[in-house]
Amino acid sequence: MSNSELKHHDYHLIDPSPWPILGAASAFTTAVGAIIWMKSLDDGDGVFGVTGWLPFAIGFTMILVTMFVWWRDVIKEARVDKALTPVVQIHLRYGMIMFIMSEVMFFVAWFWAYFDVALFPGAGVMGFEAREAITGGHWPPMVTETDGGYFKGTFDPWHLPLLNTIILLTSGATVTYAHHALLKDDRKGLIIGLLLTVILGVSFTVFQAIEYMDAPFTFGGHIYGSTFFMATGFHGLHVIIGTIFLAVCLVRAIKGHFTPQQHFGFEAAAWYWHFVDVVWLFLFVAVYVWGAGTPVTH
Amino acid sequence: MRNRLKGGQQNSAVFKGIGSILASAVFSLMLIGVAHAGNGQPSPWQIGFQEPVTVIARQIESFHDFLMIVITLVTLFVMGLLAYIILKFNEKANPVPSKTTHNTAIEVIWTIVPILILLVICIPSFRLLFAQYTFPKADLVIKATGNQWYWSYEYPDQGGMSFDQLMLRDDDNNPIGGPDGQPRVLAVDNFVVVPVNKNVELLITASDVIHNWTIPAFGVKVDAVPGRVVRAWFNADTIGTYYGQCSELCGKDHAYMPIGVKVMSEADYGTWLAKAKKEYASSEPVGKKSGDTQLAASVNASTNR
Amino acid sequence: MSTQAHAADHHDHDHKPGFVKRWLFSTNHKDIGTLYLIFAMVGGTIGGFLSMGIRAELAEPGMQIFSNPHMFNVFSTAHGLIMIFFMIMPSLFGGFGNWFVPLMIGAPDMAFPRLNNVSFWLMPPALTLLIISLFVEGPSGMNGAGVGWTVYPPHSTSGHPGPAVDFAILALHLAGASSILSSINFITTIFNMRTPGMTLHKMPLFVWSMLVTAFLLLLAMPVLAGAITMLLTDRNFGTTFFDPAGGGDPVLFQHLFWFFGHPEVYVIILPGFGIVSQVISTFSKKPVFGYLPMAYAMVAIGAVGFVVWAHHMYTAGLSLDTQAYFLAATMVIAVPTGIKIFSWIATMWGGSVRFPTPMLFAIGFIVLFTLGGVTGVVLANPGIDRAFHDTVYVVAHFHYTMSIGALFTLFSGWYYWFPKMTGYMYNETLGKIHFWMLFIGVNVTFFPQHFSGMAGMARRQADYPDALAGWNMISTIGAWISIAAMAVFFFAMALAFVRKQKAGDNPWGVGATTLEWTVSSPPAFHAFEKLPKVK
Ligand code: HEA
Ligand code: HEA
Ligand code: CUA
Ligand SMILES: [Cu+2]
């Protein structure tokens, strides 16, 4: 921090930065781009006569660039300016905890949608006549004549989903192993732990993709597929983000950025990963196992 | 700075001013319930409910009269305290401020007393709510379906007789005083007709977006939600014509899909029914969609409790 | 940041960065607060203009200014969204929060200054998206999203095939992201940057109010984001969350929306509660009465606020038991709110009370918010809400709490802190004229709506039965008075900047005890280079 000579406190005052406004501009481009893209699906007319995915891709790329330069600055401030005093590290901890809390509430929305139908699949006291016609009044839904063929059965939870559960649990262990190694200043252990975690994260995603391709139901058209793909898909997205986060930590570990005293970047990644892990357990129990009924595939 | 110092005294006088304006406003609210007007529709400068014609609507009104007293007293109490402060504790009258910041007794009182008031409110409130959801044995079932932007009705017990109810526009059929002698915006082409003093059960749903079926004079208001069939009931005890308006935002003509119900004597109802059966028997309501028959079939299974 | 590091090397107390760096790349809480306030003025002006459109249309029965009633819906939708998301929230939470949370806890800045700036800069794009939505197709052949600020499906899905609703949804996404990020920032700042001696139980109540508000946003906003994301996929990817044809349920959206929406109304009012506490204490020359109950009442309002959402859905076909529960839960909120009202009164009691403009707004707030609050208690009874739901009685209720409650606290805070923020004193006489005109204007607008609502006038309708003409004309006249009041406000502000009458560090005297009054007016670019000590 350039004006550190003047400071009489341990806080980190940041110089003006162009990245926030760039980030906002990127978000705007992405939002408009997303609408254009969505309105171009199924031969739509787009918006303002513009069609296609390009505006979205541009906006999204801008976001990625912003994130890169922004976090590059953060890392530089930590390493070169030594700005991350103990109190600033506590800031970051609070920040990360709050962020994860907000993410939890995001998942509340998907689980709410899921339980809304899973607990009340029939007409019941609320008069869900149309729903009963689609689900047959059961959860998981019955294959009915009115469901439009969008639903043909559920997954066997003890197949790929179980494997993925084991993968995620193991990855939780490996990231903890890495943490312990880091605390003991065992850089090799750290790198191996992180590498294993990243590999496990990637394999989770691969298996999830395989599973998706096999699904006997679709995202659109039927409430089963909608709730299933939204919840697991959003989780999958978080797995990918977490994996990237861990991969960045891996690179930083290889470069020797972390010390037993100061390694918040790593810790944040680990917290995030545990959060993703816990959400999966809920998904596994509520959606895959409890919501499985009689499996039809495999 | 100069202005500020003078402000103190001027304001106390002015505040007496607002005090009295507000007090009279709040008192006028208290009159509600006394000042009734016109049957089945709003009337000019009305400040109360429309004349209630069901037991439930009367219960709503008397509960509201009670609530009005409570909330008026609460508001006046707060205003009175403020007026007192403005008079007694302004800078002039009380140059040296006290330093009191705690008084456990009074803090307990202003926690407990509101709790008690609320408990007292809860009793008639629950009674009213349970009364609304105590479904008597139905003498007549009517199914109402909201469509953009009209209602369709079915009398399932009368051989599935069904018809649509559309607003009459000014230019449709226009004698002086509004279409067909009915009030503008509320006027409808076909009325729902029910016999007086009979339990009418409503089955309410919608075909496209959410609408809301209401007749203020009956104390009934139910969202018409696509995919759901919701039950409601009323028993109107006064012969007359009653209007309501769709009360859930449903698009462009949300203001133009009124609800009109005629309550008739048993005999008149019989005459109407005979005629209506002929007239409406063949006509399929415009809004009828394929899913609907299925809904009607399973409707009796659904209870709203 | 290598490019900036050089320029920033010679940075001292009063050396401010150049225009672009100072305003576009800002990492200074006061500058960002100022940006938020300017933004809120723009939002409020657009929102106020839209409300005039609404009132002009409703002035008389029949269609007045719109040829297509859909345009009326578009106006009221945009009015509601803009007033809430782009006027009240950016001013009370973003604006005053940024300015005064760090000053009041003795911190040199916010915990994450760069994050703070992106929170602000997400707002103009969000507003832009919302404005664009007015000019693109909504329902076939018509422009704009006429869905209400509540965006209920299926009207917002199958009812609006054009992109207008997508723009509105993404506007909410960006505004929501901004709120979540700034909440994280406020919580961290408040928990972790209090100056030595400033324990949680010594924090000014305004800071407490911001803390609770931040938690409400942090926990409620993501649920809205989830709900509108599902709306987006229902619209564009054929999912059926809210589509009964695929087993979904429109009422699910209402649950999700109001799980956010009810906490949101406390997001709107809690910062105001904080402001009023500071103002009342200052001008009574007394510390706040019952400080701890005041703080924890806000916590209680926030907590209970999460379990009352379905009182907005009494007519949506909830079961009897559900309605009974929400009736009881909703009533509970009146208790902590009552504690606040009575503690404010007790703060003034025995005080030596002065009545400059901020105090007028605070007292006006107490009276009128009580009026709005007690009509809320009426609505909390499902039995009676059956009569009032979706009538303009509800419109009267929420304008008493928002357009009078929250707006009055906004002006209270504005006049209170204006000398601190700008260093200039405003003209008291004009301030008072502004207060009285607005006071009369909003009451004349919204009080008669209780009557028309009782008589059965439905809300969100461009036209109404002729019998309701009287009260509606009065309402519209009230709205013109409010607009005239706003003209006085903007004139008074312009005048203050022309006159440049110096305010001094503490223009309010002995009652003003919080830390912001110990620094210069306006405060140095970095106030508290040295942390202040609190006993
Ligand atoms: C700032 C915003 C704000 C605030 C603070 C409130 C506060 C309250 N609101 Fe309001 N409300 C809205 C904004 C707000 N509301 C909005 C925007 C809508 C409509 C949304 C839409 O549909 O578009 C709405 C709608 C709304 C409804 C739904 C109506 C309907 O659509 O049918 C209900 C029903 O319960 C309700 C209840 C309450 C209650 C009980 C409170 C309580 O918190 C009030 C508590 C305060 C007091 C009671 C006064 C002070 C207390 C005392 C002096 C103590 C003594 C008092 C007693 C014992 C009674 N509100
Ligand atoms: C805080 C929120 C807020 C505010 C301030 C207002 C202010 C006003 N509103 Fe409303 N309104 C809503 C929130 C608000 N409103 C909402 C949520 C709805 C529901 C929408 C829906 O149905 O979906 C609604 C709906 C609504 C309706 C009902 C439409 C209908 O259902 O038919 C009407 C009709 O009269 C109306 C009128 C007005 C009027 C005349 C004002 C006037 O009081 C305006 C005068 C005030 C100003 C012009 C002040 C503006 C402020 C500034 C300029 C900021 C200054 C900034 C700083 C000091 C930093 N509004
Ligand atoms: Cu139908 Cu509003
Ligand atoms: Cu609410």
Side-chain angles (χ1 to χ4, degrees):
Chain A
M1 185 61 208
S2 40
N3 61 353
S4 50
E5 313 80 36
L6 289 169
K7 298 203 306 186
H8 303 280
H9 53 71
D10 285 343
Y11 299 126
H12 178 203
L13 299 187
I14 295 175
D15 297 327
S17 160
W19 312 140
I21 198 168
L22 174 66
S26 325
F28 181 73
T29 315
T30 311
V32 176
I35 296 170
I36 291 173
W37 189 13
M38 289 186 300
K39 292 296 152 194
S40 319
L41 299 172
D42 303 326
D43 286 332
D45 307 330
V47 185
F48 313 124
V50 185
T51 56
W53 48 265
L54 193 63
F56 175 80
I58 293 172
F60 195 70
T61 313
M62 282 165 67
I63 291 187
L64 294 179
V65 170
T66 310
M67 297 210 284
F68 180 79
V69 288
W70 184 316
W71 276 319
R72 192 195 59 193
D73 279 4
V74 174
I75 292 170
K76 174 183 157 289
E77 284 154 10
R79 295 181 48 71
V80 182
D81 302 340
K82 301 277 180 251
L84 297 198
T85 57
V87 66
V88 175
Q89 290 191 47
I90 299 178
H91 281 1
L92 293 171
R93 267 162 222 274
Y94 270 119
M96 194 65 199
I97 292 170
M98 295 304 145
F99 176 66
I100 290 177
M101 269 167 74
S102 77
E103 290 270 60
V104 169
M105 292 312 289
F106 230 126
F107 277 95
V108 165
W110 318 134
F111 275 102
W112 194 325
Y114 172 75
F115 282 115
D116 181 86
V117 57
L119 294 177
F120 305 103
V125 297
M126 315 290 278
F128 289 122
E129 307 293 345
R131 173 176 285 175
E132 177 151 339
I134 301 293
T135 63
H138 285 265
W139 197 261
M142 302 193 319
V143 178
T144 60
E145 278 168 20
T146 35
D147 68 12
Y150 296 110
F151 177 78
K152 299 198 177 61
T154 59
F155 287 120
D156 175 2
W158 308 115
H159 196 259
L160 274 183
L162 177 66
L163 181 61
N164 263 348
T165 308
I166 295 168
I167 289 176
L168 271 195
L169 288 177
T170 315
S171 74
T174 53
V175 81
T176 306
Y177 169 81
H179 195 186
H180 282 286
L182 171 53
L183 290 178
K184 280 186 259 148
D185 212 1
D186 166 11
R187 203 162 122 210
K188 199 162 147 241
L190 168 67
I191 292 172
I192 290 174
L194 268 174
L195 191 64
L196 283 175
T197 316
V198 170
I199 291 171
L200 287 168
V202 172
S203 39
F204 176 94
T205 306
V206 170
F207 286 129
Q208 186 85 336
I210 294 172
E211 188 191 71
Y212 274 15
M213 287 188 289
D214 238 11
F217 45 79
T218 51
F219 189 32
H222 194 288
I223 189 68
Y224 186 90
S226 297
T227 51
F228 178 91
F229 281 118
M230 190 57 112
T232 58
F234 206 70
H235 173 265
L237 186 69
H238 281 68
V239 171
I240 294 171
I241 295 169
T243 311
I244 295 172
F245 198 172
L246 288 164
V248 170
C249 288
L250 177 60
V251 173
R252 292 187 63 196
I254 292 168
K255 284 190 171 181
H257 280 192
F258 299 123
T259 66
Q261 292 75 33
Q262 186 174 332
H263 50 259
F264 182 72
F266 171 82
E267 259 182 287
W271 287 353
Y272 194 78
W273 195 248
H274 287 310
F275 150 71
V276 169
D277 206 351
V278 171
V279 170
W280 174 260
L281 291 182
F282 278 98
L283 283 172
F284 183 64
V285 171
V287 177
Y288 285 96
V289 178
W290 178 71
T294 324
V296 293
T297 53
H298 311 290
Chain B
M1 288 292 270
R2 248 182 303 116
N3 285 333
R4 223 182 354 100
L5 296 179
K6 279 202 320 232
Q9 321 119 16
Q10 280 168 6
N11 270 296
S12 48
V14 180
F15 263 103
K16 270 182 267 174
I18 11 170
S20 50
I21 297 172
L22 267 183
S24 51
V26 175
F27 272 123
S28 64
L29 250 188
M30 281 191 68
L31 297 178
I32 287 165
V34 183
H36 270 314
N39 248 358
Q41 52 175 291
S43 46
W45 303 107
Q46 176 178 345
I47 58 170
F49 285 122
Q50 294 174 26
E51 178 79 47
V53 297
T54 64
V55 176
I56 294 292
R58 283 199 196 88
Q59 202 174 330
I60 290 179
E61 183 173 53
S62 63
F63 178 37
H64 184 261
D65 287 346
F66 163 70
L67 273 180
M68 224 36 243
I69 297 171
V70 175
I71 68 173
T72 307
L73 290 179
V74 169
T75 311
L76 287 180
F77 179 63
V78 169
M79 274 164 41
L81 290 174
L82 285 172
Y84 188 82
I85 286 167
I86 289 158
L87 294 180
K88 294 286 155 145
F89 300 118
N90 66 58
E91 212 170 25
K92 256 268 148 98
N94 190 35
V96 184
S98 88
K99 292 278 165 242
T100 321
T101 54
H102 278 288
N103 182 332
T104 312
I106 195 143
E107 288 175 57
V108 170
I109 291 175
W110 74 46
T111 310
I112 302 288
V113 172
I115 293 178
L116 294 178
I117 298 178
L118 292 168
L119 284 177
V120 170
I121 294 178
C122 277
I123 296 164
S125 182
F126 278 115
R127 196 186 297 137
L128 171 59
L129 177 60
F130 284 94
Q132 287 171 331
Y133 277 82
T134 306
F135 283 79
K137 200 183 144 357
D139 299 313
L140 171 65
V141 177
I142 299 177
K143 179 161 183 252
T145 305
N147 313 284
Q148 281 172 327
W149 288 276
Y150 62 93
W151 291 92
S152 356
Y153 295 94
E154 230 175 285
Y155 283 55
D157 309 338
Q158 310 299 337
M161 169 183 95
S162 60
F163 57 90
D164 290 334
Q165 181 178 63
L166 278 76
M167 188 186 78
L168 281 184
R169 302 249 165 200
D170 272 347
D171 49 6
D172 275 358
N173 188 351
N174 199 356
I176 309 145
D180 226 0
Q182 300 184 58
R184 201 185 61 85
V185 177
L186 297 175
V188 295
D189 56 354
N190 297 319
F191 280 92
V192 177
V193 179
V194 297
V196 71
N197 287 325
K198 284 282 186 289
N199 296 323
V200 180
E201 179 165 321
L202 293 161
L203 300 168
I204 296 170
T205 188
S207 66
D208 36 37
V209 303
I210 304 178
H211 303 267
N212 177 301
W213 196 95
T214 180
I215 296 285
F218 295 174
V220 175
K221 183 175 281 165
V222 199
D223 282 6
V225 184
R228 280 194 180 195
V229 179
V230 179
R231 289 205 309 161
W233 69 280
F234 64 86
N235 181 331
D237 52 21
T238 311
I239 291 172
T241 305
Y242 302 93
Y243 293 102
Q245 285 177 285
C246 175
S247 296
E248 197 61 59
L249 177 58
C250 56
K252 174 166 127 343
D253 285 341
H254 167 54
Y256 298 127
M257 54 181 292
I259 300 138
V261 178
K262 268 194 202 303
V263 178
M264 290 184 178
S265 68
E266 189 81 63
D268 288 352
Y269 172 71
T271 324
W272 173 81
L273 194 63
K275 204 170 123 245
K277 270 187 179 160
K278 277 200 217 94
E279 196 176 326
Y280 300 137
S282 52
S283 69
E284 274 281 285
V286 190
K288 206 145 165 109
K289 297 216 168 148
S290 49
D292 274 12
T293 30
Q294 218 179 356
L295 301 188
S298 49
V299 135
N300 293 324
S302 86
T303 59
N304 218 31
R305 232 228 85 149
Chain C
M1 223 177 37
S2 45
T3 46
Q4 256 68 42
H6 178 69
D9 268 340
H10 19 246
H11 204 167
D12 60 55
H13 276 64
D14 271 60
H15 181 115
K16 299 178 182 105
F19 181 85
V20 169
K21 272 191 195 159
R22 176 156 184 209
W23 296 111
L24 301 188
F25 299 170
S26 180
T27 47
N28 178 292
H29 71 103
K30 293 186 281 305
D31 287 348
I32 293 175
T34 304
L35 288 170
Y36 266 115
L37 289 171
I38 295 170
F39 178 76
M41 284 194 188
V42 174
T45 306
I46 301 174
F49 163 76
L50 291 167
S51 79
M52 292 311 120
I54 300 176
R55 277 316 330 162
E57 176 53 57
L58 293 178
E60 289 168 46
M63 297 306 289
Q64 321 299 319
I65 63 167
F66 302 116
S67 49
N68 180 346
H70 169 73
M71 264 338 271
F72 175 85
N73 298 338
V74 172
F75 266 52
S76 58
T77 303
H79 162 71
L81 287 173
I82 288 178
M83 283 299 197
I84 290 177
F85 288 95
F86 302 116
M87 193 273 277
I88 289 289
M89 290 171 66
S91 54
L92 292 176
F93 189 66
F96 293 147
N98 262 308
W99 256 96
F100 294 107
V101 164
L103 287 182
M104 283 181 158
I105 63 175
D109 207 303
M110 295 283 283
F112 307 114
R114 230 174 341 216
L115 195 66
N116 201 11
N117 198 27
V118 79
S119 299
F120 170 73
W121 280 113
L122 282 172
M123 293 303 277
L127 180 57
T128 310
L129 287 174
L130 191 64
I131 305 272
I132 294 176
S133 94
L134 302 178
F135 299 101
V136 296
E137 186 174 67
S140 324
M142 296 173 247
N143 282 352
V147 289
W149 82 284
T150 50
V151 260
Y152 282 3
H155 189 40
S156 59
T157 51
S158 55
H160 278 69
V165 173
D166 299 298
F167 276 98
I169 289 174
L170 283 159
L172 290 183
H173 270 119
L174 293 196
S178 153
S179 297
I180 293 174
L181 296 179
S182 51
S183 300
I184 292 175
N185 214 340
F186 277 119
I187 295 172
T188 307
T189 308
I190 295 172
F191 277 159
N192 209 31
M193 289 181 82
R194 280 169 286 119
T195 197
M198 175 73 73
T199 61
L200 276 179
H201 285 174
K202 280 193 186 144
M203 271 175 2
L205 284 173
F206 177 69
V207 182
W208 266 103
S209 75
M210 296 307 289
L211 182 62
V212 178
T213 307
F215 268 106
L216 290 180
L217 281 171
L218 186 77
L219 300 178
M221 209 40 113
V223 179
L224 173 73
I228 57 181
T229 303
M230 289 187 256
L231 208 55
L232 210 57
T233 60
D234 267 17
R235 290 175 52 78
N236 296 295
F237 301 104
T239 57
T240 62
F241 293 102
F242 312 124
D243 179 3
D249 178 18
V251 178
L252 166 65
F253 180 84
Q254 303 183 9
H255 278 293
L256 293 165
F257 181 87
W258 290 115
F259 184 83
F260 149 81
H262 189 83
E264 170 70 14
V265 309
Y266 296 121
V267 165
I268 291 168
I269 205 68
L270 283 176
F273 283 2
I275 292 172
V276 168
S277 297
Q278 308 303 146
V279 169
I280 298 257
S281 151
T282 296
F283 296 110
S284 306
K285 308 198 192 75
K286 264 183 77 193
V288 172
F289 185 95
Y291 168 85
L292 275 187
M294 282 291 249
Y296 284 98
M298 288 194 282
V299 176
I301 292 172
V304 181
F306 273 105
V307 294
V308 301
W309 72 89
H311 63 218
H312 295 273
M313 307 160 55
Y314 286 143
T315 63
L318 302 178
S319 72
L320 170 60
D321 304 336
T322 314
Q323 296 188 39
Y325 160 74
F326 280 101
L327 149 61
T330 303
M331 291 275 181
V332 172
I333 296 207
V335 177
T337 316
I339 293 179
K340 298 215 63 92
I341 300 273
F342 296 125
S343 300
W344 286 322
I345 292 177
T347 305
M348 292 184 266
W349 201 269
S352 178
V353 188
R354 209 142 42 86
F355 302 96
T357 312
M359 189 64 167
L360 291 186
F361 274 106
I363 292 180
F365 163 80
I366 295 179
V367 178
L368 298 176
F369 179 76
T370 301
L371 214 159
V374 292
T375 56
V377 171
V378 173
L379 294 172
N381 301 282
I384 282 209
D385 189 59
R386 209 87 60 220
F388 286 141
H389 177 71
D390 252 303
T391 66
V392 295
Y393 186 98
V394 175
V395 175
H397 157 67
F398 68 71
H399 282 91
Y400 266 85
T401 51
M402 298 199 300
S403 180
I404 302 181
L407 193 67
F408 273 33
T409 65
L410 166 57
F411 286 125
S412 182
W414 177 268
Y415 283 105
Y416 181 58
W417 282 317
F418 182 81
K420 176 56 57 186
M421 293 188 292
T422 61
Y424 304 139
M425 199 62 202
Y426 61 88
N427 179 312
E428 269 299 342
T429 313
L430 284 177
K432 283 179 180 153
I433 294 176
H434 171 218
F435 167 76
W436 283 108
M437 285 177 68
L438 194 64
F439 184 91
I440 293 166
V442 288
N443 277 295
V444 170
T445 312
F446 298 115
F447 203 80
Q449 297 190 352
H450 293 111
F451 301 143
S452 18
M454 277 193 99
M457 177 171 170
R459 62 189 276 213
R460 295 170 166 171
Q461 298 202 335
D463 193 354
Y464 50 85
D466 302 355
L468 294 161
W471 293 127
N472 273 291
M473 178 49 90
I474 297 208
S475 249
T476 299
I477 292 171
W480 299 133
I481 301 177
S482 307
I483 282 297
M486 290 313 298
V488 174
F489 169 74
F490 283 112
F491 175 72
M493 291 308 116
L495 195 69
F497 280 103
V498 173
R499 288 271 169 85
K500 295 195 190 321
Q501 185 194 339
K502 287 271 177 295
D505 292 355
N506 178 4
W508 305 128
V510 290
T513 54
T514 39
L515 280 177
E516 80 268 30
W517 303 108
T518 62
V519 298
S520 59
S521 298
F525 192 66
H526 286 299
F528 303 133
E529 289 281 7
K530 274 207 182 67
L531 300 184
K533 266 270 184 301
V534 177
K535 322 135 275 190

